[in-house]
Every structure is written in C-alpha cells, then in structure tokens.
Amino acid sequence: MSYDVVVVGGGPAGATAAEDLARVGKRVALLDREGRIKPCGGAIPPRLMKDFDIRDAQLVAKIDTARMISPTGRYVDIPIENGFVGMVDRKDFDPFLRARAEKAGAHRFTGTFLRLERDEGRTALVFRDKQSGEEKHLQTQYVIGADGARSDVARAEVPGGDKIPYVIAYHEIIDAPEAVGNYAPNRCDVIYDGRISPDFYGWVFPHGKTCSVGMGTGVDGFDLKEATAELRQRAGLAQCETLRKEGAPIPLRPLDKWDNDRDVVLAGDAAGVVAPSSGEGIYYAMYGGRVAAQAVQAALASGRAQDLQLARRTFMKEHKNVFRALQAMQDSYYHTDERRERFVSLCHDVDVQRLTFEAYMNKKLVRKRPLAHLRIGIKNIAHLTGLVSPLRT
C-alpha cells in the first residue's frame, strides 16, 4: 500500500487535509483511532461554513446571543448582529468530515500510530490495526500529523513537539430542556470566575436537544469535575441527565516549527493552533489542515522538503495578528478575579462588542473603524489601571 501522503488523525484538521488532497488526485490514507470524542463547545463561525462548505444540516443549534458572566455574577448579553454562531456536536461532526474525505477518495484505516521507519529514502508509517491488533505498514512520501495536542507524530518527529503547553478541558454533554433556570437554548454563556477556572473560563453551550457544560485549566490539581458540577448548579441544569463525559488537552500556542525538514508536517492541535483567550479550535484546525495539504502538494510537485514550511508561514501570515491580540487579552485579564470583573465590564462597550464579533465571524482584525479602535484602547488602559470601576448590572 503506497501513498503520496498519510494523514494521522481524523478530526477537523486531518479530515480536511485528507479531503483536500484526495480532491486534487493525490493518493491519500487517513488513519484515525475512531471512538474518541474531543471535549469541545462546538462553536463554528459563518466563515468556516462558507470556506469549508458546511451546510445547516450539520448544525445542532444557532446561537444569537453570548452572555459574559463575571466572578460576582454580573453579566452582559452581547447580541450577534447580522449573523449567528453555529453549534456542532463533535460526535457527529468529526465522522461527517471523515466520511466526506473518504468519499473524495481518501482510504480509511482505523488504528494507532506507532512510528515511522525509513530505508534508502523511503518512508513507511507503522500503525497498530484496531481490529486485528497487528502492526501494518503504509508506504508514503509525506505524513501530516493531525493527532491532537499531545501528538505522537509531533513528539517523535518535530523539534519541540514534546514541549507544547496546554490546558486540560473537561465537559459534560447533558440532556437539556428547551429552557430552565438560567439556561437559554439560543445563548452561549461564558463564565469568568476563578472558582470555575483559575486561569481560563467555563462555558454552557447549547447543542439543540443537548448542552455542553465544561471548563478548562492549566493548574495542576484543580478539580475539573467539581467545577463543572458548580456550573450546572448555577445554570439550573444539575438534575439533567448526563449523556457523556469527556476530557482532553487543548494547546496554548502554536509551535515554533511544524515540520521535520524531511517528510512530516503538523496540523490542528498537533501544531498548537487554538486561539488564545477563547480556546476556539475548529476553524483554525480546518484551516491548518488546508494549509498543510497545500504544503504537501507543493513538496510533491517540487521534491523539496523545505516546501513543508509553507504550512506554518501561510497560517501565521493570515492569523498571527489575531492570535497576538487574543493572547494579550488573556495575559491581561484572566489571572485574577478583579481583572476578570473588569474584563466583563469592558464587554459592556458597544465598540468592543461589534469589533469582537466582526473579528470572530470573519477571522480578521477589523480595520475599517480606526476611531473605535482608539476608543477601545483608551478604555482598555482605563480598566487595566483601575481608573474606572467595574460596571454594575
């Protein structure tokens, strides 16, 4: 079995890379473990739906409001003007993407990556077949590692791939009613409270007939399940039936290098492409899978391994400014409850609301309102220096 590329990992990044390469006629193998569901709020913006041809049929809900909640329980509701945030359930969305890659021509294999073997310029990917338990070999020219935040491919093949920082995310999928307590099926709640997460945030995200309730933290020893139980209690969802419990690492920043200068390039969580501050990963994973596929196409055409570097260069050219702005916001506001209180107060500002959601929907920093940017900068400094008091709602 010989391929142009073997993609390891069948989540949004890997499935997108496999589909893109198969659609241009490349011989593609997609290796996935199957049966693993990543904990994820499931939010996807309209740009993702447009860029990756995701139809409404894949959505379990459409959200028109985001509620930001402070440590003291004060909140601001932010309407999503002229659009919506789509919600997907990863237990259904990921298999849909894998099936679409297979339909495009990718060959599916189910098993666990073990290692790469090289002999006289030829590369073989070795995996353990899930059904037989046997070791199997796939001959390939290139490998795309899209196997998650603690990627085995990255740790084995890419410098720095064993040192990626991450937080642990945990959520529970529950059987949610139409509306109960503080829960609304058309609203995403984001909770900034050190009792829920000392360094990140908690969430209550509707999924149609179900709901994702969870949080993330990088603090060792913090009780994620207890914090999630508290979230459910606050939202009035404590008595709802629990359908699934899931936990996994989420990377904190992109790796400095995504390839091994030879035959491997990373994508998605394996490359560290989760947005700071928000933890948003699905769009960036799929875009990362796309640019990894483009880099492999270039390398196949030229025979130059250095073309694999195009993946990171293309991604960072498009998104580094957004990542830097979000990282600065997280560094400024996420580490004390006093700062979290001020952050939620800042979110009352109409300029902040509009520019934030325009950037989220379009995945670009909005530059068409220079005066709004100036006003936000001044207000941000005022909140960080304590020149203003947090608003009361």
Side-chain angles (χ1 to χ4, degrees):
M1 292 179 284
S2 180
Y3 295 93
D4 295 315
V5 58
V6 176
V7 181
V8 182
T16 299
E19 180 187 0
D20 282 3
L21 286 162
R23 287 195 183 281
V24 295
K26 304 305 178 186
R27 294 168 297 167
V28 182
L30 176 59
L31 173 66
D32 188 71
R33 289 186 294 175
E34 294 277 14
R36 175 184 176 274
I37 307 169
K38 181 182 175 181
C40 178
I44 62 172
R47 180 173 172 181
L48 182 151
M49 298 180 69
K50 177 176 178 291
D51 289 357
F52 298 98
D53 192 25
I54 302 300
R55 308 297 174 86
D56 279 10
Q58 294 304 316
L59 302 182
V60 293
K62 289 185 177 181
I63 301 303
D64 60 24
T65 305
R67 172 170 288 186
M68 324 295 277
I69 304 174
S70 80
T72 60
R74 294 181 288 200
Y75 65 84
V76 54
D77 286 346
I78 304 176
I80 302 170
E81 297 179 352
N82 303 316
F84 62 89
V85 174
M87 306 301 294
V88 298
D89 191 324
R90 294 289 294 273
K91 79 173 178 62
D92 302 314
F93 188 62
D94 290 16
F96 161 77
L97 294 175
R98 290 193 287 270
R100 195 165 69 168
E102 185 174 23
K103 185 176 181 180
H107 294 175
R108 295 271 303 276
F109 295 89
T110 304
T112 305
F113 168 83
L114 296 176
R115 62 189 179 275
L116 296 183
E117 295 180 351
R118 300 179 178 91
D119 182 35
E120 297 182 357
R122 301 182 66 185
T123 299
L125 183 143
V126 185
F127 72 98
R128 188 173 304 283
D129 183 77
K130 182 176 181 179
Q131 185 172 3
S132 68
E134 298 175 352
E135 288 191 8
K136 293 188 176 182
H137 292 64
L138 300 173
Q139 298 291 331
T140 185
Q141 295 190 60
Y142 294 101
V143 172
I144 295 177
D147 52 333
R150 288 188 285 207
S151 162
D152 290 331
V153 176
R155 286 187 287 179
E157 295 291 336
V158 177
D162 59 339
K163 298 180 176 64
I164 185 168
Y166 57 85
V167 299
I168 296 296
Y170 172 80
H171 80 158
E172 296 176 2
I173 297 291
I174 63 175
D175 185 8
E178 286 299 310
V180 66
N182 296 318
Y183 172 76
N186 65 326
R187 188 188 72 222
C188 283
D189 291 358
V190 184
I191 300 91
Y192 299 98
D193 186 337
R195 293 165 295 182
I196 299 301
S197 172
D199 56 339
F200 207 52
Y201 65 81
W203 68 81
V204 179
F205 285 2
H207 282 186
K209 294 181 180 179
T210 65
C211 176
S212 166
V213 184
M215 49 77 66
T217 182
V219 176
D220 289 340
F222 192 82
D223 194 326
L224 287 78
K225 293 184 178 180
E226 183 177 316
T228 302
E230 174 66 18
L231 277 175
R232 291 180 60 168
Q233 185 70 38
R234 293 187 191 185
L237 301 171
Q239 303 305 315
C240 295
E241 179 185 0
T242 302
L243 304 177
R244 305 196 313 265
K245 298 180 180 181
E246 297 150 358
I250 296 178
L252 288 174
R253 65 174 180 82
L255 288 175
D256 294 329
K257 188 172 178 59
W258 293 6
D259 68 282
N260 67 347
D261 298 313
R262 185 173 184 175
D263 52 11
V264 173
V265 63
L266 304 178
D269 281 9
V273 292
V274 171
S277 175
S278 68
E280 182 193 357
I282 300 177
Y283 171 80
Y284 295 110
M286 295 179 76
Y287 184 81
R290 177 151 290 173
V291 297
Q294 292 169 352
V296 167
Q297 279 186 255
L300 285 167
S302 69
R304 298 190 304 263
Q306 59 263 39
D307 284 345
L308 297 177
Q309 297 172 15
L310 290 170
R312 190 180 191 280
R313 286 207 299 267
T314 303
F315 186 98
M316 298 308 289
K317 181 180 180 180
E318 181 73 9
H319 296 297
K320 69 178 180 181
N321 290 333
V322 170
F323 273 47
R324 285 174 178 172
L326 292 174
Q327 187 64 61
M329 185 174 75
Q330 182 172 336
D331 291 343
S332 298
Y333 287 110
Y334 278 29
H335 297 292
T336 69
D337 275 353
E338 190 273 337
R339 286 290 181 91
R340 295 183 187 99
E341 200 76 40
R342 292 184 177 279
F343 174 66
V344 173
S345 293
L346 185 63
C347 291
H348 280 270
D349 186 89
V350 174
D351 288 326
V352 172
Q353 294 177 15
R354 288 177 177 170
L355 291 177
T356 296
F357 273 99
E358 285 177 8
Y360 171 78
M361 305 288 252
N362 300 307
K363 290 293 168 276
K364 291 180 181 292
L365 292 179
V366 180
R367 302 183 182 278
K368 63 183 178 181
R369 297 181 184 171
L371 291 178
H373 280 283
L374 178 61
R375 290 195 297 269
I376 289 171
I378 294 171
K379 294 167 186 173
N380 187 50
I381 293 171
H383 277 278
L384 288 173
T385 56
L387 294 177
V388 297
S389 298
L391 296 176
R392 296 190 176 277
T393 60

